[in-house]
Amino acid sequence: MANISSASGKITLKGDWTQEAIAALELVLDMWEFYGEYGIQSYDGFDEEHLTSYFFGCGRWSFSGTLDSFEDWTRDWLKEKPKRPNGELIHSLTEEQYENFLKIMCENHLVIEMDFEDVEEGCGVHIHEIGQFTSGDGSCISYKIMECEDIVPSWDDYETEALDEAVDFFENFLSDVNRKKLRKWVKNNVTPTDIFEDTDDYWEIIEYFGDCGEDPFIEFFLKFSPDTEEWEELNGFYEEMWGCPVEENIDEGYGEDFDFYDEDDDDDDDDEDRDVNTWDTEPQYPLDEIDSMEISGSAFVLTGDFQNCDGDRDEVKKMIEAKGGRCTGAVSGKTNYLVLGDFGSAGAKKIDQVMEQRAKGKDVKIIAEYDLFRFL
């Protein structure tokens, strides 16, 4: 069974879209739900004044790949005329209406722009993509990716409990452990996930990382030499799944070039744990001064402990989204503002991500929570 990806973002109509063109598009969009399987599951309405609509969609393996299949799927559905269990047609679009839609797209050089984040949790895929639907000759519609970049997950994107549960999981395999060192290893070597909160089933966890194309158990074995009965139990499941125990699945020389294999790193300061926005130290970065802010259409990343909304960042996100902005979990080239909570504990990794984007010429501003709420 294919893994399901979920996407959310906005549809922007570019060009001279008349009400007739919008009406033709909405008939097609209703079909593109594809009966709740893959496609655009929901969207806001359009009109000639507002040519942007927020949407939610899902895809087979990736939403991007699903968009590329819309032309073929539309033709198939027009031909097969699928029905609901009660015998009603799933959609009302006719071939004549679809051909008229393609003709309008072609003759008026209209563009449907898709700007979204796509997440497929089974394989750990998280991307930001901008693509466009066009109809060059009026015979079909085609999708072209204009921009696409990976969004690297961070433990800062999860509640503290997710990391704590991950550390607890690996601690079970060690009879003598320095929890601080183990926590550092988990942050640096285990893909951020909340699976350790959801289950303690060894088979399920091993399978999860296998689906992600990763194997933290080899790295863990090399670093810590686990020695408990719990480790033997997990290793039994590992052997059943992969055909050999962890220690026999290590290629010669594996790990020599990795930080986790270097025993000298145990006494290093944990850069990931440093608080870059505490009250008793000077900030290690400049906050940007802003005199104005256009929230609508801007992308925000929140980090640290917030004073407003009783510290509930989800409520802050809702306030931003209510004014037309959007919030993401990690900094990318499309981010406009990184907002640091006024109560400190901002994620150092996100600061580093801003600096990386600035080095690429991107204008990503670092602002305080106070400045954000001046304009909310």
Side-chain angles (χ1 to χ4, degrees):
M1 179 179 177
N3 287 10
I4 306 299
S5 72
S6 59
S8 60
K10 65 180 179 180
I11 304 170
T12 301
L13 307 183
K14 295 193 169 185
D16 186 16
W17 283 83
T18 63
Q19 197 59 48
E20 177 190 6
I22 293 171
L25 167 64
E26 290 185 332
L27 285 173
V28 176
L29 284 175
D30 289 341
M31 173 188 271
W32 282 355
E33 180 182 345
F34 295 112
Y35 198 31
E37 294 180 358
Y38 308 114
I40 298 172
Q41 303 303 306
S42 62
Y43 69 95
D44 301 330
F46 296 97
D47 58 44
E48 290 180 88
E49 182 179 356
H50 302 96
L51 298 179
T52 297
S53 172
Y54 289 92
F55 79 93
F56 168 77
C58 59
R60 179 172 55 188
W61 298 111
S62 76
F63 184 68
S64 176
T66 298
L67 294 176
D68 196 43
S69 302
F70 273 16
E71 169 66 20
D72 291 339
W73 290 359
T74 300
R75 295 295 183 182
D76 289 343
W77 276 46
L78 287 171
K79 180 179 179 180
E80 296 171 5
K81 296 181 173 58
K83 297 180 179 180
R84 302 179 190 275
N86 62 7
E88 294 180 358
L89 288 174
I90 291 176
H91 66 86
S92 60
L93 185 70
T94 65
E95 288 194 40
E96 181 180 358
Q97 289 171 328
Y98 187 58
E99 296 297 343
N100 179 59
F101 164 69
L102 296 177
K103 180 181 178 182
I104 293 173
M105 287 277 294
C106 175
E107 291 181 350
N108 296 280
H109 307 290
L110 301 180
V111 174
I112 305 169
E113 182 176 270
M114 311 293 294
D115 184 340
F116 59 90
E117 288 190 15
D118 189 15
V119 179
E120 198 289 284
E121 295 184 353
C123 295
V125 174
H126 188 182
I127 65 167
H128 173 245
E129 179 172 307
I130 298 177
Q132 294 182 343
F133 281 111
T134 57
S135 183
D137 60 5
S139 66
C140 65
I141 196 166
S142 59
Y143 180 74
K144 181 179 180 181
I145 299 173
M146 311 304 291
E147 297 181 31
C148 184
E149 60 183 346
D150 291 330
I151 296 178
V152 180
S154 165
W155 282 107
D156 293 334
D157 301 334
Y158 293 84
E159 298 294 334
T160 304
E161 289 76 9
L163 177 58
D164 290 339
E165 290 289 344
V167 176
D168 290 344
F169 175 82
F170 285 97
E171 187 175 11
N172 287 329
F173 307 132
L174 303 173
S175 58
D176 183 20
V177 62
N178 181 317
R179 188 173 173 87
K180 181 178 179 181
K181 294 178 181 178
L182 179 61
R183 185 181 181 88
K184 175 182 177 179
W185 178 86
V186 170
K187 291 188 74 172
N188 290 338
N189 295 282
V190 179
T191 297
T193 174
D194 56 7
I195 191 172
F196 299 105
E197 291 184 282
D198 298 336
T199 182
D200 57 4
D201 184 277
Y202 291 163
W203 180 274
E204 187 174 342
I205 291 173
I206 295 169
E207 185 177 43
Y208 170 83
F209 284 105
D211 288 342
C212 293
E214 300 179 7
D215 192 338
F217 305 104
I218 291 178
E219 301 170 6
F220 178 73
F221 176 83
L222 289 170
K223 178 69 177 178
F224 293 102
S225 301
D227 56 358
T228 64
E229 292 182 2
E230 288 82 358
W231 173 256
E232 293 302 322
E233 182 181 355
L234 177 137
N235 212 3
F237 284 107
Y238 186 98
E239 182 175 6
E240 184 177 350
M241 181 172 293
W242 302 120
C244 65
V246 172
E247 59 270 22
E248 294 181 13
N249 202 24
I250 303 172
D251 295 333
E252 184 176 354
Y254 181 91
E256 293 178 355
D257 296 330
F258 290 86
D259 177 65
F260 67 80
Y261 195 68
D262 183 1
E263 294 296 335
D264 293 336
D265 72 358
D266 288 344
D267 296 326
D268 291 345
D269 291 334
D270 188 351
D271 291 338
E272 292 293 326
D273 284 335
R274 77 180 189 270
D275 183 349
V276 299
N277 190 27
T278 55
W279 294 110
D280 56 353
T281 60
E282 289 296 322
Q284 301 175 13
Y285 53 86
L287 285 172
D288 292 300
E289 296 182 4
I290 56 173
D291 297 322
S292 62
M293 177 189 293
E294 184 63 43
I295 293 178
S296 178
S298 294
F300 296 80
V301 174
L302 310 182
T303 184
D305 297 328
F306 276 64
Q307 176 180 7
N308 291 280
C309 300
D310 294 325
D312 189 339
R313 291 201 312 217
D314 287 338
E315 290 300 317
V316 179
K317 291 178 182 178
K318 290 178 183 178
M319 294 177 68
I320 292 172
E321 291 166 355
K323 291 207 169 185
R326 66 185 182 94
C327 295
T328 62
V331 175
S332 73
K334 297 299 179 182
T335 303
N336 300 108
Y337 299 98
L338 174 65
V339 185
L340 311 185
D342 284 347
F343 279 170
S345 300
K349 189 167 185 176
K350 287 185 169 63
I351 303 292
D352 294 339
Q353 289 172 343
V354 170
M355 298 309 173
E356 290 173 4
Q357 293 300 329
R358 287 181 175 180
K360 297 176 183 178
K362 304 295 185 180
D363 183 20
V364 185
K365 298 187 184 303
I366 302 174
I367 65 171
E369 174 189 350
Y370 166 80
D371 283 322
L372 170 65
F373 274 81
R374 287 166 53 203
F375 302 100
L376 277 178

Short mmCIF file of all heavy atoms in Angstrom, two decimals, residues 303-325:
data_model
loop_
_atom_site.label_atom_id
_atom_site.label_comp_id
_atom_site.label_asym_id
_atom_site.label_seq_id
_atom_site.Cartn_x
_atom_site.Cartn_y
_atom_site.Cartn_z
N THR A 303 9.87 30.27 17.44
CA THR A 303 10.76 29.47 18.27
C THR A 303 10.87 30.09 19.65
O THR A 303 10.69 31.30 19.82
CB THR A 303 12.16 29.35 17.63
OG1 THR A 303 12.98 28.48 18.42
CG2 THR A 303 12.85 30.69 17.52
N GLY A 304 11.13 29.27 20.65
CA GLY A 304 11.29 29.76 22.01
C GLY A 304 9.98 29.81 22.78
O GLY A 304 8.92 29.39 22.31
N ASP A 305 10.06 30.34 23.99
CA ASP A 305 8.91 30.44 24.89
C ASP A 305 8.25 31.80 24.72
O ASP A 305 8.90 32.84 24.88
CB ASP A 305 9.36 30.25 26.34
CG ASP A 305 9.95 28.87 26.57
OD1 ASP A 305 9.50 27.93 25.90
OD2 ASP A 305 10.86 28.75 27.41
N PHE A 306 6.94 31.78 24.46
CA PHE A 306 6.21 33.01 24.18
C PHE A 306 5.49 33.52 25.42
O PHE A 306 5.01 32.75 26.25
CB PHE A 306 5.21 32.79 23.04
CG PHE A 306 5.82 32.92 21.67
CD1 PHE A 306 6.80 32.03 21.25
CD2 PHE A 306 5.45 33.95 20.83
CE1 PHE A 306 7.38 32.15 20.01
CE2 PHE A 306 6.03 34.08 19.57
CZ PHE A 306 7.00 33.18 19.16
N GLN A 307 5.44 34.85 25.52
CA GLN A 307 4.75 35.49 26.63
C GLN A 307 3.26 35.61 26.35
O GLN A 307 2.43 35.39 27.23
CB GLN A 307 5.35 36.88 26.87
CG GLN A 307 4.65 37.68 27.97
CD GLN A 307 5.27 39.05 28.17
OE1 GLN A 307 6.14 39.46 27.41
NE2 GLN A 307 4.82 39.77 29.18
N ASN A 308 2.91 35.96 25.12
CA ASN A 308 1.51 36.15 24.76
C ASN A 308 0.79 34.82 24.60
O ASN A 308 1.41 33.77 24.43
CB ASN A 308 1.42 36.95 23.46
CG ASN A 308 1.86 38.39 23.64
OD1 ASN A 308 1.12 39.23 24.13
ND2 ASN A 308 3.11 38.68 23.26
N CYS A 309 -0.54 34.88 24.66
CA CYS A 309 -1.39 33.69 24.49
C CYS A 309 -1.05 32.61 25.51
O CYS A 309 -1.14 31.41 25.22
CB CYS A 309 -1.28 33.13 23.07
SG CYS A 309 -1.75 34.29 21.78
N ASP A 310 -0.62 33.03 26.70
CA ASP A 310 -0.25 32.09 27.77
C ASP A 310 0.81 31.10 27.31
O ASP A 310 0.85 29.94 27.76
CB ASP A 310 -1.48 31.33 28.28
CG ASP A 310 -2.48 32.25 28.98
OD1 ASP A 310 -2.02 33.21 29.64
OD2 ASP A 310 -3.69 32.02 28.85
N GLY A 311 1.67 31.56 26.40
CA GLY A 311 2.76 30.71 25.94
C GLY A 311 2.37 29.67 24.92
O GLY A 311 3.19 28.84 24.53
N ASP A 312 1.11 29.69 24.46
CA ASP A 312 0.63 28.69 23.50
C ASP A 312 0.98 29.15 22.07
O ASP A 312 0.31 30.01 21.51
CB ASP A 312 -0.88 28.51 23.64
CG ASP A 312 -1.41 27.33 22.83
OD1 ASP A 312 -0.72 26.93 21.87
OD2 ASP A 312 -2.50 26.84 23.14
N ARG A 313 2.01 28.55 21.49
CA ARG A 313 2.44 28.97 20.16
C ARG A 313 1.40 28.64 19.10
O ARG A 313 1.32 29.33 18.07
CB ARG A 313 3.78 28.33 19.79
CG ARG A 313 4.94 28.87 20.61
CD ARG A 313 6.28 28.65 19.96
NE ARG A 313 6.53 27.32 19.48
CZ ARG A 313 7.71 26.72 19.55
NH1 ARG A 313 8.73 27.33 20.12
NH2 ARG A 313 7.89 25.52 19.07
N ASP A 314 0.60 27.61 19.32
CA ASP A 314 -0.46 27.29 18.36
C ASP A 314 -1.46 28.43 18.25
O ASP A 314 -1.97 28.72 17.16
CB ASP A 314 -1.18 26.00 18.76
CG ASP A 314 -0.34 24.76 18.51
OD1 ASP A 314 0.58 24.85 17.67
OD2 ASP A 314 -0.59 23.73 19.15
N GLU A 315 -1.73 29.09 19.37
CA GLU A 315 -2.65 30.23 19.34
C GLU A 315 -2.02 31.41 18.60
O GLU A 315 -2.71 32.14 17.88
CB GLU A 315 -3.02 30.65 20.77
CG GLU A 315 -3.92 29.65 21.49
CD GLU A 315 -5.24 29.45 20.77
OE1 GLU A 315 -5.83 30.46 20.31
OE2 GLU A 315 -5.68 28.30 20.64
N VAL A 316 -0.71 31.58 18.77
CA VAL A 316 -0.01 32.64 18.03
C VAL A 316 -0.10 32.36 16.54
O VAL A 316 -0.35 33.25 15.72
CB VAL A 316 1.46 32.75 18.48
CG1 VAL A 316 2.18 33.83 17.69
CG2 VAL A 316 1.54 33.05 19.98
N LYS A 317 0.10 31.09 16.17
CA LYS A 317 0.02 30.71 14.75
C LYS A 317 -1.37 31.02 14.19
O LYS A 317 -1.50 31.51 13.07
CB LYS A 317 0.33 29.23 14.59
CG LYS A 317 1.78 28.86 14.86
CD LYS A 317 2.00 27.36 14.73
CE LYS A 317 3.44 26.99 15.03
NZ LYS A 317 3.66 25.52 14.94
N LYS A 318 -2.40 30.73 14.97
CA LYS A 318 -3.77 30.99 14.51
C LYS A 318 -3.98 32.48 14.26
O LYS A 318 -4.66 32.87 13.30
CB LYS A 318 -4.78 30.47 15.53
CG LYS A 318 -4.85 28.95 15.61
CD LYS A 318 -5.83 28.51 16.69
CE LYS A 318 -5.86 26.99 16.82
NZ LYS A 318 -6.78 26.55 17.91
N MET A 319 -3.40 33.32 15.12
CA MET A 319 -3.53 34.77 14.94
C MET A 319 -2.84 35.21 13.65
O MET A 319 -3.36 36.07 12.92
CB MET A 319 -2.93 35.49 16.14
CG MET A 319 -3.69 35.27 17.44
SD MET A 319 -2.90 36.07 18.86
CE MET A 319 -3.17 37.80 18.44
N ILE A 320 -1.68 34.63 13.37
CA ILE A 320 -0.96 34.97 12.14
C ILE A 320 -1.76 34.52 10.92
O ILE A 320 -1.94 35.27 9.95
CB ILE A 320 0.43 34.32 12.14
CG1 ILE A 320 1.32 34.96 13.22
CG2 ILE A 320 1.10 34.43 10.77
CD1 ILE A 320 2.64 34.26 13.43
N GLU A 321 -2.26 33.29 10.96
CA GLU A 321 -3.01 32.75 9.83
C GLU A 321 -4.31 33.50 9.60
O GLU A 321 -4.77 33.64 8.47
CB GLU A 321 -3.27 31.26 10.06
CG GLU A 321 -1.98 30.43 9.97
CD GLU A 321 -2.15 29.02 10.51
OE1 GLU A 321 -3.25 28.72 11.05
OE2 GLU A 321 -1.19 28.22 10.41
N ALA A 322 -4.91 34.01 10.69
CA ALA A 322 -6.15 34.78 10.56
C ALA A 322 -5.93 36.07 9.78
O ALA A 322 -6.87 36.63 9.21
CB ALA A 322 -6.72 35.09 11.94
N LYS A 323 -4.69 36.54 9.76
CA LYS A 323 -4.37 37.76 9.02
C LYS A 323 -3.69 37.47 7.69
O LYS A 323 -3.09 38.35 7.07
CB LYS A 323 -3.48 38.68 9.87
CG LYS A 323 -4.22 39.28 11.06
CD LYS A 323 -3.63 40.60 11.48
CE LYS A 323 -4.52 41.32 12.48
NZ LYS A 323 -4.02 42.66 12.80
N GLY A 324 -3.78 36.20 7.25
CA GLY A 324 -3.28 35.86 5.92
C GLY A 324 -1.85 35.39 5.87
O GLY A 324 -1.32 35.14 4.78
N GLY A 325 -1.18 35.28 7.01
CA GLY A 325 0.18 34.76 7.02
C GLY A 325 0.16 33.24 7.13
O GLY A 325 -0.89 32.63 7.29
#
